Amino acid sequence: MTFFLYVPMTVFTNPDDFSKREFWISFFGQVMNLGRYVMGWVVIYYLYHIMKQNQHVKEQKLILENAAKSAELELLKNQLNPHFLFNSLNSIKALVLIDQEKARDGIIKLSELLRFSLNYERVTLIAIQDEMNEVQKYLELEKIRFGDRLELEIQLEEDTMELKIPPAMVLTLAENAIKHGISQVPDGGKVRVVCQKRKGNLRIMVTNPGSLDGKQTLGIGLKNVTKRLQALYGNEASFELVRNAKKEIEARILIPNI
């Protein structure tokens, strides 16, 4: 462009300048000056397209990650159903020929729990109050089987009732407390479920008597609890199974900023 603007003007005005050194120095100076602006716009143009391409790649990566997490959550939920059904059926099978009234009550509770298990697969989160209603049914169902060997205590703070958690997560911990706690202790004991909110963090604790062994810590139910928390909250949420100061086994879930 500089050539077509600058040279023709010189040809008509001062044709003798072509032979002067100063003319060519000025000419190349104009070329360099114009080239600086052109290169600037070229760099901006390519940077814009590179950024746009990177943004597209990031968006596609997030879409794939979300799809993978959704698929993993569905798989984990589906893995819970056989475990849940097996434990619930064991709670009433011995009552059918012994006490028909208790067996009937157990079947009603089981049908309600199964209805819950079918519905919770359709949602990612449910209110704690709804979850606790099912936990109560499950523990009452187990009390039919264990009788006086099982004591129940549920402490649900009012400001936690409407908070959302993954469905059947506390129910899984309650099942674990029965399977590895109450059923293994001859004299039974108490299963206590506590939900509280402290400094914006949700704390859920399920305690039971018993001992902490490898089978309990490596069970599929507890592994699923950890994986579901990680899939939904990343490393911000935590789950641990410990022996507390009262020598009880305590399952602890912490969900921050809820």
Side-chain angles (χ1 to χ4, degrees):
M1 183 180 293
T2 302
F3 179 83
F4 289 109
L5 291 177
Y6 191 74
V7 173
M9 185 179 296
T10 304
V11 170
F12 290 109
T13 55
N14 298 298
D16 294 335
D17 287 349
F18 277 109
S19 59
K20 295 179 180 180
R21 181 181 178 185
E22 291 79 4
F23 167 78
W24 292 107
I25 293 175
S26 176
F27 172 75
F28 285 113
Q30 293 286 341
V31 172
M32 294 295 292
N33 187 51
L34 182 61
R36 180 179 61 182
Y37 290 105
V38 172
M39 286 301 297
W41 283 108
V42 170
V43 170
I44 291 173
Y45 174 81
Y46 279 104
L47 284 176
Y48 169 77
H49 281 278
I50 290 172
M51 291 174 63
K52 191 173 181 180
Q53 182 65 25
N54 287 340
Q55 183 65 29
H56 178 72
V57 171
K58 289 180 180 179
E59 290 176 355
Q60 291 300 313
K61 184 179 179 181
L62 286 174
I63 291 173
L64 291 175
E65 288 178 352
N66 288 334
K69 285 184 178 181
S70 297
E72 183 180 12
L73 283 172
E74 289 304 314
L75 176 62
L76 293 173
K77 284 194 224 176
N78 290 335
Q79 288 176 338
L80 289 173
N81 285 334
H83 182 253
F84 160 74
L85 179 59
F86 178 77
N87 285 340
S88 298
L89 286 173
N90 273 342
S91 298
I92 60 173
K93 70 178 183 180
L95 293 173
V96 174
L97 298 177
I98 300 174
D99 191 326
Q100 292 185 359
E101 188 62 31
K102 285 186 177 180
R104 178 179 176 277
D105 185 42
I107 291 171
I108 292 173
K109 285 183 170 63
L110 176 58
S111 67
E112 291 174 349
L113 285 167
L114 289 177
R115 186 183 300 112
F116 170 73
S117 72
L118 293 174
N119 291 332
Y120 84 68
E121 290 185 356
R122 303 172 187 173
V123 297
T124 303
L125 300 170
I126 64 170
I128 288 180
Q129 185 174 18
D130 295 335
E131 172 83 355
M132 287 304 164
N133 288 338
E134 303 310 315
V135 172
Q136 181 79 32
K137 291 174 186 176
Y138 171 75
L139 292 176
E140 289 176 355
L141 183 60
E142 291 289 30
K143 188 168 177 59
I144 294 174
R145 181 162 64 108
F146 288 101
D148 294 337
R149 287 179 59 197
L150 174 59
E151 295 181 55
L152 310 177
E153 181 181 349
I154 295 180
Q155 300 177 12
L156 178 59
E157 293 186 354
E158 188 173 353
D159 59 350
T160 66
M161 290 185 179
E162 298 303 320
L163 298 179
K164 302 290 186 178
I165 61 172
M169 182 162 288
V170 183
L171 184 59
T172 300
L173 299 183
E175 290 176 1
N176 190 73
I178 296 294
K179 181 179 180 181
H180 296 284
I182 302 300
S183 64
Q184 303 299 320
V185 179
D187 295 331
K190 178 185 289 187
V191 173
R192 182 170 61 255
V193 183
V194 178
C195 292
Q196 54 188 211
K197 190 175 182 181
R198 296 290 184 272
K199 297 180 180 179
N201 299 327
L202 175 63
R203 297 170 58 190
I204 301 173
M205 291 159 287
V206 179
T207 60
N208 60 270
S211 59
L212 200 58
D213 56 38
K215 291 182 179 179
Q216 186 171 2
T217 57
L218 297 177
I220 185 172
L222 299 188
K223 285 183 178 180
N224 283 346
V225 169
T226 301
K227 289 179 180 179
R228 292 175 71 193
L229 285 172
Q230 289 178 346
L232 288 169
Y233 307 103
N235 294 326
E236 294 182 357
S238 64
F239 169 72
E240 59 180 347
L241 192 66
V242 299
R243 193 170 183 83
N244 64 18
K246 297 180 180 180
K247 296 184 179 181
E248 300 170 313
I249 305 305
E250 186 168 280
R252 302 172 180 168
I253 291 176
L254 175 65
I255 303 177
N257 305 318
I258 194 169

